[in-house]
Amino acid sequence: MPPAANMAEAPLPAPPRAKMVAFPVPGQPAEKMAEKRRPTAPVAGASEARRASPARGLATESEEEFLRQAGVTAMLRAALLKVLEARPDEPLPFLAHYFDNLGLRSPANGGAGEPPGLLLLQQQRIGRALWHLRLAHHSQRTAFNNNVSVAYECLSASGRKKRPGLDGRTYSELLKRICRDGEAPEEIVSPLLRKIQCRDHEAVPFDIFRYGMLTCFVLLEFVARADALYEVLDDSGQADRRVCQAVLDTLEGALLAGDFEAPSRYLEAGSQLGPDCLALAMDRALLARKPSSAMLRDEFLEKAASLFIAKVRPVG
Amino acid sequence: MATETALRKPRRWGGPAASAGRRMLSPDRLALPDYEYLAQRHVLTYMEDAVSQLLENREDVSQYGIARFFTEYFNSVCQGTHILFREFSFIQATPHNRASFLRAFWRCFRTVGKNGDLLAAKEYHCLLQLLCPDFPLELTQKAARIVLMDDAMDCLMSFSDFLFAFQIQFYYSEFLESVAAIYQDLLTGKNPNTVIVPTSSSGQHRQRPASSETSALEGVEASLFYQYLENLCDRHKYSCPPPALVKEVLSNVQRLTFYGFLVALSKHHGINQALGALPDKGDLMHDPAMDEELERLMAQVPGLLTTTTSGTESGCPRTSPRLGSPWRPLHHSRKVDAESDGSTEETEESET
């Protein structure tokens, strides 16, 4: 068990000394960093004073040397850059996950041992690609694009014999993994997969890869939103079919009318889905004197998803 | 973050898409400058601490790898176990550390409350020092003052009374300093607008208006007090209780004293929830998983379980003898020996 685990579970009383370390951050001198940090940690002032005292100067220097030689500085710098790029809502679990993945990749863990089987290697590559893809939300387009290209490189660097490049089989498997991890129902995602999958032997160029990944992530989010929408419509354990249908029709109207090349179309679609239009449609649906029945969540989600998938351009 | 997730109904299926949805609801963090984002979430505090921990364990680290060390470190931060036995300056450095410490204190010494023991401030301080050797006595005393309404400081307190008062005092420490200053100013008729957030804890609130003690007009006017507190919450850089809940506390009364206010804060169910470190008062002693674990551990220690149950491995929790032995030395002579679960009835005693 590594030392930190000891610290976490059955820790020994550590001597209460606060050793401050100045590890350089990209582009920022340590002093400036400390200054910016002051408001967050009320104790920082005291420790800075200690750090600045000449008696500790020597020790600090050798520590810095140690950190640099052991690769800690570089590792933390990379981690910090990743945090800043992805801006996760909760950076601490993000960092735990980040270092965990880093540890798995290091030569100390399997890399130097027996060469793993081809299948295992493939699984590892897919896992790594998935990890990169999830680092940033797709709405942060620059970070996401970066990660997509890193993932693409991960996957296309294959074994010695094969030529580099990504084949359709791996690409399809990755898509399936994303959908499976998103826990979206099979009947919702399979129409999408049919549209964006490639054949097993085909080479997948980067553009297609990026398009597929992005579409997949957006669909998953769309379905999650639709699920939340159903939650709202369903106020007494059952959602009224007429209201659900009215909402779906409004959504369809907003999505299907015309092409989305012209920027003004986005505004029009947005206004069609605004509270007033939607409320009117729902009102009308409730006024219609038809026998009411319930619409189940799965049906609602499937219908909503099919509206989305209809707009997805098939690849190839 | 916590309230946001709590408000959402549980999704039937979550996964990355669902968490992505939540992430998109707070895009303001994406607009922050880098340093503000890092400062807001205390990323550098933890990274720095991780490095200093790494340097202290230099020899062991080289064996397991640095990435593994950092993984363990950040995992323990997420679980809240990272504050155990650390120095006070670290424990109070971030809101997450404070909440983790409160939780650890509760989980470690829950048995005290369960046994219905009443302890004095000094004894609670010893318990705190078991988790944090340099925990300042002053803070324990301030918490005790809330329970005892700044009176008869050697009185005994129930575990839950102390815990909830301590929570308010410890978690909102800086906020309460400012509140004390405002209260003091209002009491003496000064205009509290000039209040500067005090950074040191020296020389504040020794107010106790001796002259007005018997008069009906003790304390300050609640609505006026709230106006100043609302303003304070707006500009306060440390954690504050949610202003809406502070308002709720203050709208129930015409006038109130400083300690009256703190007691009301510490007993407020919503403030406890918003803080998110401890369960509701009713559930304080209820943790079946932990109980089971404790029983299991106790069963492994030879000599703790006297006679009887040695035959059955599993050990039946209800029939096994009282297991509070680690805390025996702290038991007070007043302690009732009969099984008692509630601290509430004893609370009344402690307050009189």
Side-chain angles (χ1 to χ4, degrees), chain B residues 116-193:
Chain B
D117 296 329
L118 302 178
L119 303 184
K122 276 220 172 88
E123 292 164 324
Y124 282 115
H125 185 65
C126 292
L127 295 185
L128 287 167
Q129 283 190 315
L130 288 177
L131 296 181
C132 168
D134 65 336
F135 199 90
L137 179 63
E138 197 195 356
L139 207 49
T140 319
Q141 284 171 336
K142 279 184 183 169
R145 247 180 233 133
I146 299 178
V147 181
L148 306 170
M149 298 290 276
D150 201 17
D151 197 23
M153 284 299 289
D154 48 354
C155 268
L156 303 177
M157 294 163 272
S158 80
F159 181 72
S160 67
D161 279 351
F162 177 78
L163 181 65
F164 284 113
F166 176 71
Q167 163 169 261
I168 293 295
Q169 180 61 55
F170 178 57
Y171 194 85
Y172 296 124
S173 198
E174 295 80 5
F175 172 75
L176 294 189
E177 302 260 329
S178 310
V179 172
I182 289 177
Y183 178 84
Q184 187 61 26
D185 280 352
L186 279 178
L187 211 58
T188 53
K190 263 195 282 179
N191 182 3
N193 266 337

Side-chain angles (χ1 to χ4, degrees), chain B residues 1-260:
Chain B
M1 290 170 289
T3 47
E4 191 183 301
T5 32
L7 285 174
R8 285 170 161 259
K9 283 191 193 172
R11 281 240 177 76
R12 206 178 39 136
W13 41 270
S19 66
R22 190 177 63 226
R23 280 205 254 162
M24 271 191 70
L25 289 179
S26 58
D28 47 325
R29 72 170 190 284
L30 302 178
L32 284 178
D34 284 350
Y35 273 104
E36 265 171 49
Y37 167 77
L38 292 178
Q40 199 188 54
R41 277 140 221 268
H42 305 279
V43 177
L44 295 182
T45 311
Y46 289 109
M47 278 201 160
E48 239 175 50
D49 185 59
V51 173
S52 63
Q53 292 294 316
L54 181 125
L55 285 171
E56 272 179 29
N57 299 288
R58 234 186 268 200
E59 293 78 19
D60 312 324
V61 169
S62 47
Q63 207 178 332
Y64 297 102
I66 294 162
R68 179 102 179 258
F69 179 88
F70 284 138
T71 310
E72 301 285 350
Y73 177 85
F74 283 103
N75 274 334
S76 87
V77 171
C78 296
Q79 287 159 11
T81 49
H82 63 302
I83 40 78
L84 288 171
F85 315 109
R86 294 294 305 275
E87 60 278 7
F88 180 71
S89 58
F90 179 68
I91 283 174
Q92 58 136 29
T94 70
H96 173 67
N97 285 7
R98 292 183 191 201
S100 303
F101 184 74
L102 286 166
R103 212 176 155 72
F105 181 72
W106 163 61
R107 295 199 65 162
C108 288
F109 301 116
R110 214 168 41 101
T111 38
V112 175
K114 209 167 184 184
N115 292 344
D117 296 329
L118 302 178
L119 303 184
K122 276 220 172 88
E123 292 164 324
Y124 282 115
H125 185 65
C126 292
L127 295 185
L128 287 167
Q129 283 190 315
L130 288 177
L131 296 181
C132 168
D134 65 336
F135 199 90
L137 179 63
E138 197 195 356
L139 207 49
T140 319
Q141 284 171 336
K142 279 184 183 169
R145 247 180 233 133
I146 299 178
V147 181
L148 306 170
M149 298 290 276
D150 201 17
D151 197 23
M153 284 299 289
D154 48 354
C155 268
L156 303 177
M157 294 163 272
S158 80
F159 181 72
S160 67
D161 279 351
F162 177 78
L163 181 65
F164 284 113
F166 176 71
Q167 163 169 261
I168 293 295
Q169 180 61 55
F170 178 57
Y171 194 85
Y172 296 124
S173 198
E174 295 80 5
F175 172 75
L176 294 189
E177 302 260 329
S178 310
V179 172
I182 289 177
Y183 178 84
Q184 187 61 26
D185 280 352
L186 279 178
L187 211 58
T188 53
K190 263 195 282 179
N191 182 3
N193 266 337
T194 52
V195 165
I196 296 155
V197 180
T199 46
S200 81
S201 52
S202 58
Q204 39 81 50
H205 63 79
R206 288 277 82 224
Q207 65 271 24
R208 301 265 295 139
S211 56
S212 62
E213 204 131 60
T214 47
S215 87
L217 287 180
E218 203 182 7
V220 296
E221 203 196 320
S223 60
L224 185 68
F225 192 34
Y226 176 67
Q227 278 175 23
Y228 288 113
L229 293 194
E230 192 183 24
N231 184 12
L232 175 69
C233 289
D234 277 348
R235 62 194 161 86
H236 209 269
K237 61 183 176 185
Y238 297 104
S239 316
C240 309
L245 297 180
V246 174
K247 186 174 188 178
E248 195 185 310
V249 165
L250 289 172
S251 60
N252 291 334
V253 284
Q254 280 284 311
R255 302 184 70 81
L256 84 175
T257 61
F258 182 64
Y259 283 103

Side-chain angles (χ1 to χ4, degrees), chain A residues 157-178:
Chain A
S158 58
R160 288 149 291 160
K161 285 176 193 164
K162 278 190 200 160
R163 271 175 293 147
L166 173 61
D167 62 6
R169 188 203 306 271
T170 315
Y171 167 72
S172 302
E173 168 137 17
L174 188 63
L175 285 174
K176 274 188 209 131
R177 280 280 296 275
I178 294 173

Side-chain angles (χ1 to χ4, degrees), chain A residues 1 4 7 19-20 28 37 40 66 70 76 87-89 99-100 137 181 220-221 223 227 231 297-298, chain B residues 9 11-13 16-17 20 24 29 32 34-35 37 39 41 48 51-53 58 64 66 71-72:
Chain A
M1 185 173 278
M7 187 184 78
K19 218 183 284 177
M20 296 303 285
Q28 292 288 344
R37 201 180 49 242
T40 68
F66 166 77
L76 286 180
R87 292 269 181 124
D89 194 20
F99 286 118
D100 193 26
H137 188 259
D181 294 352
L220 287 176
E221 186 165 339
V223 175
D227 193 57
E231 201 78 41
R297 187 190 295 265
D298 288 331
Chain B
K9 283 191 193 172
R11 281 240 177 76
R12 206 178 39 136
W13 41 270
M24 271 191 70
R29 72 170 190 284
L32 284 178
D34 284 350
Y35 273 104
Y37 167 77
R41 277 140 221 268
E48 239 175 50
V51 173
S52 63
Q53 292 294 316
R58 234 186 268 200
Y64 297 102
I66 294 162
T71 310
E72 301 285 350

Side-chain angles (χ1 to χ4, degrees), chain A residues 183-217:
Chain A
E183 288 172 51
E186 183 71 28
E187 58 272 17
I188 287 183
V189 292
S190 51
L192 176 79
L193 292 183
R194 272 200 296 279
K195 274 193 160 182
I196 57 175
Q197 260 170 358
C198 295
R199 293 203 179 82
D200 281 0
H201 57 271
E202 278 176 335
V204 182
F206 177 71
D207 283 349
I208 298 283
F209 179 73
R210 200 186 79 84
Y211 176 72
M213 295 300 126
L214 187 60
T215 313
C216 206
F217 279 115

